[in-house]
Amino acid sequence: MADRKACSRIEQRSFVPWMWSIMEVPGGLLLLLIFTGNASGTFVTTCDLCHDEATCLELQERGDAFTSQTLSCVCKNGFLGDGITCYNPELCSNSSCCSQGYHWSPDGGCVDTDECSLPDSPCTPSQVCQNTPGSFRCLEPSPSPRSGPSSQLIQFTCGKTLCPAGMDCISNNVSSHCRDPCEYYTALEDDWRSTNNTGGQIHCDQSITWRGWYRMFLGQSDAQIPERCVEINRCGTHAPLWITEPHPTQPGEIVNRTVCNSWSNSCCNFNQHTIQVKLCHGNYYVYKLVEPSVCNLAYCAEVKEIAAEGQVRLAGGGNSSCSGRVELFHNGQWGTVCDDAWGLVDAQVVCRQLGCGRVLSAPQSARFGQGTGPIWLDDVACSGSESKLVECQHRGFGSHNCGHSEDAGVVCEAGSPVRLVNSDNRCSGRVEIYHGGQWGTVCDDSWDLSDANVVCRQLGCGRARSALSNAAFGAGSGPIWLDNVVCLGSEPGITECRHPGFGVHNCGHQEDASVVCEFQPGLNSSTTPDPRPPNVTVTPTSSVDNSSSVEGEVRLAGGGNSSCSGRVELFHNGQWGTVCDDAWGLVDAQVVCRQLGCGRVLSAPQSARFGQGTGPIWLDDVACSGNESKLVECQHRGFGSHNCGHSEDAGVVCEAGSPVRLVNSDNRCSGRVEIYHGGQWGTVCDDSWDLSDANVVCRQLGCGRARSALSNAAFGAGSGPIWLDNVVCLGSEAGITECRHLGFGVHNCVHQEDASVVCEFQPGLNSSTTPDPRPPNVTVTPTSSVDNSSSVEGEVRLAGGGNSSCSGRVELFHNGQWGTVCDDAWGLVDAQVVCRQLGCGRVLSAPQSARFGQGTGPIWLDDVACSGSESKLVECQHRGFGSHNCGHSEDAGVVCEAGSPVRLVNSDNRCSGRVEIYHGGQWGTVCDDSWDLSDANVVCRQLGCGRARSALSNAAFGAGSGPIWLDDVVCSGNEAGITECRHLGFGVHNCVHQEDASVVCEVQPGLNSSTTPDPRPPNVTVTPTSSVDNSSSVEGEVRLAGGGNSSCSGRVELFHNGQWGTVCDDAWGLVDAQVVCRQLGCGRVLSAPQSARFGQGTGPIWLDDVACSGSESKLVECQHRGFGSHDCRHSEDAGVVCEAGSPVRLVNSDNRCSGRVEIYHGGQWGTVCDDSWDLSDANVVCRQLGCGRARSALSNAAFGAGSGPIWLDNVVCLGSEPGITECRHPGFGVHNCGHQEDASVVCEFQHPPLHASQLICGDKLQVGLDLPVTTSFGLDPLSGNLAARNCSWARVLNNVVWYEVDAVAGACGNILRTNHTHAIYFNTLFIYPINNASFTIPVSLPFSCAYPLNTDTVLNWPIRPIPLTESGLSGSGTRPRASMFLFRNSNFTETYPSGLISLPVGAPLYVGVSVEKRDSVFAVVLEDCYATHSSNPHDPTRYYFIQNKCSTDRRQVSVVENGSSLQARFSALLFLIQGEYREIFLHCSLSLCDQSSYSCVPSCRNRTHRSVSSSASMKPLTIGPITWDRGAE
């Protein structure tokens, strides 16, 4: 008990408080803690249970309220025992009747011998004795408490006895014994401990003598100590106490937890200390608390939160909830994630789910300590677009081959106190510090490389390249946290360097410090999310209120309803002012439009066109170069220096101030058409929309002629009003609103019919941010023109790159003349600046040695050294204009992404992936209809990637997004580019993104080739990496030899030390083989053959005992014995078969185990004719693919007609052949068939599963149909009805059509069947064909939901989608929730309140049990109710109230209701058990019974044991305790 030394209110209790919530007790009982007395013998329901030397007694009735009859087994005179077992003392007094480890007791017969309590311990003096039933154990001593299976798990000793796990040595003021702290604790009910308490009296837990265990309450609710850093001056104290790791997830274990305290800007300011924690079966925690190190520290409390299914948290990360070990909540329990294949993409999903910003790293090998409990996930493979970790692919919950030493971790940006922002990657940018709940900047006073190095190392970005000042990456906002930072260079973090203190500075944001680190993680890092914490409010820059304005902000005033046209006003020195129009022009105005995000400039009005402003005139003689991102970056006379009046205020009209615009694309000349009318933007309906209408829009916007007039919301559905419909233009109108139409706002359309346009003039990828400032009527001279009249100082162009202005020799305009750049030190960072300056997207390569031909004229730059943040090439460091030591044979080149109209994405290299086409200013995909090697070859050659290895379908590299540009592509093979092949037209298709085409080319340039690709142009001959010639091989390269025509199957060979060698098959397996397949870009692994299956190699054996984790990108990254270290011969050479190396495939379905059969032969895929096609042939195909046996052998192009050659016909297989080509057939290419006869197969093993249907079993049965997939089978997903025809209501959500029915017998034709464990509802969904105009038999989809007839604490548990099988869909539902209450009166109307209950001996108990309503056809049946002295339902000392569904003594127990509804009630008299005033618990086991099929009310008139038919037992529940009111004696 705690000694009270202060005013802390601690209610001292000897026993567990009354529990009203559901208690999850193993064995499934309702548990009620009560005191009762001893009884003679054992109560039974049949005399057959009594021993032969026992008498079966029928107890007489007593009183009016209790009328039940009870039997009792009592040993006869002269015998000892409980009536079930009876001993003869004359025969057994010498313990001859007792087993070893038990001894004779004159009172109880054979009882367990406690060897550890004997005067002479059986263990040596240095050991600790632990008693077990019938035996004992001697354990090596350790300090108390003793560490258990992990460093966190502990056990206690009591004297020389080691307490069982989960127990402590607890005193009852008389003696100390090993007891369960879940039953012996003190209630801590101080509401002031709440984390929500921010005021009032200050408390100090150092003034309390803490003894024993405590359970926390806030009001009537269970509470727990917070698992996060709590702000100071909360919880009724100065420095709140919190624990640094999550609570235990395993009931019954005692663990250590570290306690920290919040004070003085630190979450662990004073000394830490350790407490013990245990999770009890009632789902609450008890704590063994200790005194904190100083005063005015107190333990915090918060109401215990119930985690949601699929929730994640990061543990072991110290003060941050955004870094740590990944833990997932599943099936009511927290568990960890294995680090197999764990990477940044997976970690980013966790950061996104937690709202912690971008991912910084994905640590493996339990970097944040080993977790406990289950390992829920392994082999996680996220695509990166998931919102939750559980949406990623994985092996299945609980399926893994890991230990907790492999627990995965995550570090998110919000978990780091430092970040670099305002650049295109996480390793360069403005330095920002997170402090006091807010991000702020660092002043550049004394900022140098030592300081920058600390930041780079802290972020895992290597060393610092440069330490930049003067807001090199833009001025920040908010607080300036640090100034005069002085780092030695060895500090772990920037805040640990010397500085004056947080917030102490004499700087402005123009002095914000920046850093560029050596490690640049890729140019795609802009796809990672905004790192700002979710609770940071972003103030719009255009606000009129000065309180939210920032230095250098601009706005346009006096322009009416538009914020993109008006008088230019600038915010400086806390005040808005104007700009003088001296020298004001389009280039200056363009900078304003860019800063405001208003698109291109249309005009630059002067002479106060938008009215005269007031206040200061801030700028005059503005001279912008056009590349500035803000107006204040332009040259000017100085703030406030001018010779103007407000009659000369400058103005701007930007494109967004125009009455028409094209939106939702990446440039201003394509997109959804929107009209500005009535002060609001609205769309145009596509009724009668054609090229004549589109031409007017394109000409109005200065975008040339229209390429296409698109309908059906091709660029996405808009919102707001639909202004125009039935537009008819002649083509000569000045604007779209001058064409004939019904009138503004008159239409019969929805936004799915919004009209769109793609114009001929595409101003570049980033034109929305860097448009050409010249007005539409100005003739634009291409930048590659020789004419210098339109060129400006510092302009760049790319020459010699053919038709593309985004690849070629770098040329720079300086001093009125074009010249080249020398390639000394020329690299990707420099080339990226050129791509950015030209608006050509990401850099692909930086060719040297005049790859695009030698230029002429001066060589302007040499030794260029860009940091990567420059907007123009001339801003980079260099030797000086014209200073060089080069010739034109060293001219530098650049290849930018926008210079290529095709790309391969979503793989680890640029020569394999999903095919995407750039058209209409937007990237889109290609449909796989008729996609084959001829088409793939064109793509590979176009990208300089050699020949195609495979032409993949069914979104093999993931489904894309955006438009599908091409379908039914047919290439002859000699086209220069994929768009020159025959196709239906851009955007014309009948596909979905699950049909996106993909390619694997022969040349695999390495994992990070998207940033370091092969810069050779397409006409350069590429030597395949599998060449025997070593001259082109690189260290660590792999190839597969001896696999015939396929480079994706064969003997594994590795290039090391200038020589090819093999790999030994010792321990070689699928995980190792998968790394090889990944390295080669050959898709998934199919098998890992051993014993030189592909022939014996020659030369050295480079690797042995290879052990890959699965996440490696190269084979040499796997663990192995060392190069050349082995105990093998070439007869043990390892092999690999990758999916792309298989000579057979099944295509045109949503999984690899069903589809049209295709054979790879002669370098090309072809089909098989269905003549004589049967199950024997299909079985060979299924077995060859590892898909089990064949379900069906289909003909008549069941999975669609193929294209290309028909390789096989009249196939006759015996069934034992290893492959389909080894069956009997006339020969390759010999047939008399058309593709309408293509053969297909459906195999038993479907992986991944079909997604055409989903089932959720909850209060309703919900069956979902995938809308696109169902439609693709010719069925109308909205046409369905259930077994009852009128049950046809459907709803559409995220492309899934849902039908639902209540989980009630008879609803919509539901059929209910029950067994001993489940209630099962059956129904059928009927779906009809599209355009069903006549009588047609629908397709039926049977489904069922099975609901367990036992309790649980969770309802409406979602069921994962499962395959559509011949027997339909089946799923599991939630288990019913039961609860039990103790009532004050016999009417069962008033329950006891929560808290300690005291009752006198002999008092009546009124107990009610109810099950949450599901289907009224069920009834709850009380099976057994008995009392024990502990919360353990398996306690052998029991006092039965109800046994086998009947009262044990009708004089003392009356069953009021049982088996007639969803509630049961009984009354009982409360007596002592064994004559002791000890706490007792009442346990009640339940079952549910189907009243529609059985009689559920128990018959208790006879003595024969009877069971209720078809009832299923439920998990037990727990309530209690009750203590004794001795005053009533």
Side-chain angles (χ1 to χ4, degrees), residues 1478-1491:
R1478 293 174 55 196
E1479 71 274 23
I1480 66 169
F1481 292 78
L1482 173 64
H1483 310 261
C1484 282
S1485 60
L1486 315 175
S1487 65
L1488 286 182
C1489 177
D1490 181 4
Q1491 296 183 94

Side-chain angles (χ1 to χ4, degrees), residues 1243-1267:
C1243 306
E1244 283 182 346
F1245 175 63
Q1246 302 293 329
H1247 183 75
L1250 287 170
H1251 294 292
S1253 298
Q1254 304 176 40
L1255 183 65
I1256 296 177
C1257 300
D1259 290 336
K1260 296 178 182 291
L1261 286 66
Q1262 302 178 64
V1263 60
L1265 300 179
D1266 188 287
L1267 194 151

Side-chain angles (χ1 to χ4, degrees), residues 9-248:
R9 183 174 62 86
I10 303 177
E11 183 177 347
Q12 304 194 18
R13 300 181 183 176
S14 301
F15 309 107
V16 187
W18 183 267
M19 281 301 303
W20 295 101
S21 60
I22 298 173
M23 310 276 283
E24 298 254 357
V25 180
L29 302 173
L30 283 168
L31 184 59
L32 174 60
L33 179 57
I34 313 169
F35 275 115
T36 64
N38 195 12
S40 300
T42 301
F43 296 113
V44 295
T45 55
T46 172
C47 292
D48 294 338
L49 298 176
C50 298
H51 191 269
D52 290 341
E53 299 299 337
T55 302
C56 186
L57 302 178
E58 180 177 344
L59 303 182
Q60 299 299 315
E61 296 182 3
R62 179 173 65 84
D64 298 328
F66 304 97
T67 58
S68 297
Q69 197 174 37
T70 298
L71 305 174
S72 175
C73 296
V74 178
C75 290
K76 297 177 182 178
N77 290 335
F79 290 85
L80 287 175
D82 58 6
I84 305 297
T85 303
C86 297
Y87 302 94
N88 186 338
E90 297 179 0
L91 300 176
C92 299
S93 59
N94 60 356
S95 296
S96 59
C97 300
C98 303
S99 303
Q100 183 177 358
Y102 295 84
H103 67 276
W104 178 258
S105 167
D107 299 321
C110 293
V111 297
D112 175 57
T113 300
D114 184 0
E115 293 87 354
C116 298
S117 299
L118 298 176
D120 296 324
S121 173
C123 301
T124 64
S126 62
Q127 293 178 318
V128 175
C129 179
Q130 182 182 36
N131 186 57
T132 60
S135 185
F136 63 92
R137 286 186 291 185
C138 294
L139 304 175
E140 292 303 320
S142 60
S144 176
R146 186 178 75 90
S147 295
S150 73
S151 61
Q152 295 290 317
L153 203 62
I154 62 169
Q155 282 182 267
F156 295 89
T157 56
C158 207
K160 296 195 68 176
T161 300
L162 179 64
C163 294
M167 304 188 80
D168 189 9
C169 188
I170 300 176
S171 172
N172 62 357
N173 295 327
V174 177
S175 60
S176 297
H177 294 284
C178 293
R179 292 186 169 97
D180 186 353
C182 291
E183 299 173 15
Y184 293 85
Y185 59 73
T186 299
L188 200 58
E189 297 180 302
D190 301 318
D191 288 343
W192 56 261
R193 295 185 184 274
S194 170
T195 54
N196 296 324
N197 178 21
T198 58
Q201 181 182 350
I202 299 300
H203 300 80
C204 175
D205 277 349
Q206 192 189 37
S207 60
I208 297 174
T209 301
W210 298 93
R211 293 177 182 171
W213 291 80
Y214 298 85
R215 178 176 172 188
M216 306 184 88
F217 291 91
L218 288 176
Q220 304 297 321
S221 302
D222 270 305
Q224 66 183 38
I225 298 177
E227 300 169 352
R228 70 188 193 285
C229 182
V230 181
E231 295 177 23
I232 63 172
N233 297 322
R234 286 183 177 267
C235 307
T237 189
H238 287 318
L241 297 174
W242 57 283
I243 59 175
T244 61
E245 288 188 83
H247 286 75

Side-chain angles (χ1 to χ4, degrees), residues 1035-1036 1054-1056 1101-1103 1116 1120-1126:
E1035 180 67 22
L1054 172 72
F1055 192 77
H1056 172 67
I1101 298 174
W1102 282 132
L1103 300 183
V1116 294
H1120 54 82
R1121 292 177 57 165
F1123 289 106
S1125 174
H1126 65 87

Side-chain angles (χ1 to χ4, degrees), residues 24-26 148-149 152-156 163-168 179-183 213 247-256 276-286 333 372 1431:
E24 298 254 357
V25 180
Q152 295 290 317
L153 203 62
I154 62 169
Q155 282 182 267
F156 295 89
C163 294
M167 304 188 80
D168 189 9
R179 292 186 169 97
D180 186 353
C182 291
E183 299 173 15
W213 291 80
H247 286 75
T249 58
Q250 299 293 313
E253 298 177 348
I254 297 176
V255 299
N256 279 330
Q276 284 77 49
V277 187
K278 180 180 179 182
L279 171 62
C280 300
H281 284 293
N283 202 24
Y284 59 91
Y285 300 111
V286 290
Q333 193 173 2
T372 59
S1431 60

